[in-house]
Amino acid sequence: MLDTITHRLDSVTQRLDSVSNELSSLIHEVHQTLPTAVNSIPASDSFVQTTYIPTIVRLGLDKWDILAFIIALVSLYYACKAYRSQKETERNTMKITKESQFMLMIDYFRHFYANLIASKSIVAKLDNRFHTHYPSEEHIRKLGVDTDALHPEVFFHSKEKYHHIHELLMLVNNYNTELGVAEKHLCTQNLIAEAKLRDLNTLIFKQDLFCEKFRKAMEELCKPDEPTGWIKRKRCICLYEEAGRLEDIENAQKRYNEYIEKSRNNIIDKALSRIDLSEEDNQEAIKKAFTIKSPSNSNKDKRFIEKYTDQVDKILCNHVNTKLRTTSKNTDIPEVKTFSCKGANFFSADEKQANNFAKIFFHDDKDRELFFMLINSNIFYEIHGKNTQGYDKIAILPF
C-alpha cells in the first residue's frame, strides 16, 4: 500500500514539474516580447512605458507563485458560481411576497374548517363501530395539512416573525405525524375502541387549535417591525417619527382586520358550497343575515336573533332535505327539522370544539348561532349525501 501511494505521489510531482516548466517557458517568452511591445507604444502613453510595463518585466514568478495564482483563479470561479446560485435562490424566494404569504395563510382557515367537518362526520358515521368498520383511508389522508405554503424565509429580517412561521411548521408536521398514526389505528381491527376514538377527537381538536395558532401568528406578522439601533434612538426623540410609528400600528391593525374578514367570508362560502347551495337568492339571504348587526337593546336583540336564525334555519333545512331526496336512493335518511344548536346533535354553541372558529370570526350571538347552523348542516349533508359519482361522501367500510 505504501509503495502504491509513493508511486502516485511521484506521478503527481512529475505532472506539476511539467506544468511549471511550461509556465516558465511562457513567462520567458513574455519577458522577451515585452521590451518590443514597450517601444511600439506611442510616446503619449509615457506612463505605461515608464511605470506599468517595467513593473511587469521586473516580476520574478516561480512555480509556487504560479500555482497560487491558479488556485486563486479556481477559488474565484467557485465563488462566482456560489454567488450566482445565491442570487437565483433569492429571486425564487422573492416570488413569495409578504402579501402572498398572508393570502396563503387565509386559505388555511378554509382548509381547517373543511377538516373539522370531515373529522366530525367520520366520528358520527362510524357511530362507535370501531371493531367492525373503519373509514376509507382516503378520508383520513385528505385531512393532511400542506407545509409548502408556509415560507419563514419571507420574514428573515425579523427573528420574531420568522419564529412564528417556523412554529406553525413544527405544529403542522407534528399533526401530520399524528394523522398517520390515526390512519394506522383506525384500520387495525383489534385495537381498542378508546384509542381510535382518542385519535379522532385529537384530529377534531387540532383543527380548532390551528385556527387560533394561525390567527395569532397572522396578528403578529401584521405588526410593523420594531425599530433598532440608530433608528430606534432617533424615534425616541423625534415626535414626527413617533407619529409615523403609531400610524404604522394602526395600519397593521386595519390590515389584520381585513384578513380576518376575508377568512370569515371564505368560511361562509365554503360552508354553503359543501351543501351544494347554488341558489343565488338563498345564498344572498344567508350572507345578508351574517352582515346585519344586532341591536343593543337586550329584548330587541333576542327577537332579532330569532328572526334571522329562523330564516336561515328554514332555508338550510329545505335545501338539504330536497337535495338529499333527489340525489340519494336511501329512503332511510331522516328529514331534518332544524340545524339550530338547540336541536342538532353535532355541535352546540357551548361546545369547546369549533369554539375558536366561532370566537375569532363570528363576534356576536346571532353570528355564532348562524355559524353553528352552517356546521351542523354541513355535517348532516356529509353523513347522508352522495358525491358526483353517486357514492357516499363518507365511505365507512367493514373489516
Side-chain angles (χ1 to χ4, degrees), residues 222 224 244-258:
C222 283
R245 176 70 177 166
L246 293 175
E247 184 178 357
D248 290 343
I249 295 175
E250 292 177 0
N251 290 336
Q253 185 62 42
K254 181 179 179 181
R255 188 165 61 252
Y256 166 75
N257 292 336
E258 290 174 353

Side-chain angles (χ1 to χ4, degrees), residues 316-318 320-321 334-339 380:
L316 293 174
C317 289
N318 289 339
V320 169
N321 286 328
E335 183 176 358
V336 65
K337 300 295 184 181
T338 180
F339 286 121
F380 186 86

Side-chain angles (χ1 to χ4, degrees), residues 64-105:
W64 299 112
D65 295 325
I66 299 300
L67 181 61
F69 179 72
I70 294 174
I71 293 174
L73 287 178
V74 173
S75 300
L76 180 62
Y77 168 75
Y78 283 107
C80 293
K81 191 173 182 180
Y83 175 77
R84 290 177 60 186
S85 176
Q86 182 180 358
K87 295 300 290 183
E88 186 68 24
T89 302
E90 183 179 349
R91 282 193 295 270
N92 292 335
T93 301
M94 291 307 293
K95 291 178 183 178
I96 303 297
T97 63
K98 292 182 182 180
E99 187 64 23
S100 299
Q101 179 64 92
F102 283 122
M103 292 300 104
L104 291 172
M105 291 182 70

Side-chain angles (χ1 to χ4, degrees), residues 154-267:
V154 175
F155 301 97
F156 71 92
H157 61 283
S158 171
K159 181 176 68 174
E160 291 77 12
K161 293 183 177 181
Y162 184 96
H163 171 74
H164 284 301
I165 298 291
H166 189 262
E167 182 182 16
L168 295 181
L169 279 171
M170 293 179 62
L171 288 172
V172 170
N173 284 327
N174 290 339
Y175 164 78
N176 287 333
T177 300
E178 293 171 334
L179 188 66
V181 173
E183 179 187 348
K184 183 179 179 181
H185 286 176
L186 290 169
C187 297
T188 302
Q189 184 175 9
N190 296 326
L191 189 68
I192 60 173
E194 289 78 6
K196 297 182 180 182
L197 184 61
R198 169 190 171 276
D199 290 338
L200 286 172
N201 285 332
T202 298
L203 299 183
I204 295 173
F205 166 76
K206 282 299 178 71
Q207 311 309 320
D208 197 51
L209 175 66
F210 283 154
C211 184
E212 170 57 22
K213 292 292 185 180
F214 273 70
R215 181 212 65 81
K216 181 64 176 177
M218 182 178 291
E219 183 180 29
E220 293 298 322
L221 295 176
C222 283
K223 292 180 179 179
D225 295 332
E226 289 292 335
T228 57
W230 179 83
I231 298 177
K232 183 176 181 179
R233 292 193 299 271
K234 180 182 177 184
R235 283 183 172 173
C236 288
I237 61 175
C238 181
L239 295 178
Y240 177 80
E241 292 291 344
E242 189 64 26
R245 176 70 177 166
L246 293 175
E247 184 178 357
D248 290 343
I249 295 175
E250 292 177 0
N251 290 336
Q253 185 62 42
K254 181 179 179 181
R255 188 165 61 252
Y256 166 75
N257 292 336
E258 290 174 353
Y259 292 146
I260 292 297
E261 183 65 22
K262 187 174 181 63
S263 302
R264 162 194 164 104
N265 294 334
N266 285 349
I267 289 175

Side-chain angles (χ1 to χ4, degrees), residues 101-148:
Q101 179 64 92
F102 283 122
M103 292 300 104
L104 291 172
M105 291 182 70
I106 287 174
D107 194 57
Y108 271 110
F109 293 116
R110 177 195 58 79
H111 184 62
F112 296 149
Y113 176 81
N115 282 357
L116 178 67
I117 299 302
S119 303
K120 195 74 172 178
S121 301
I122 291 171
V123 173
K125 197 163 185 178
L126 263 176
D127 194 23
N128 292 319
R129 296 175 296 168
F130 294 112
H131 294 307
T132 58
H133 292 77
Y134 68 98
S136 178
E137 292 94 327
E138 65 184 271
H139 302 309
I140 304 298
R141 294 178 185 180
K142 286 180 180 178
L143 300 177
V145 179
D146 186 17
T147 59
D148 291 340

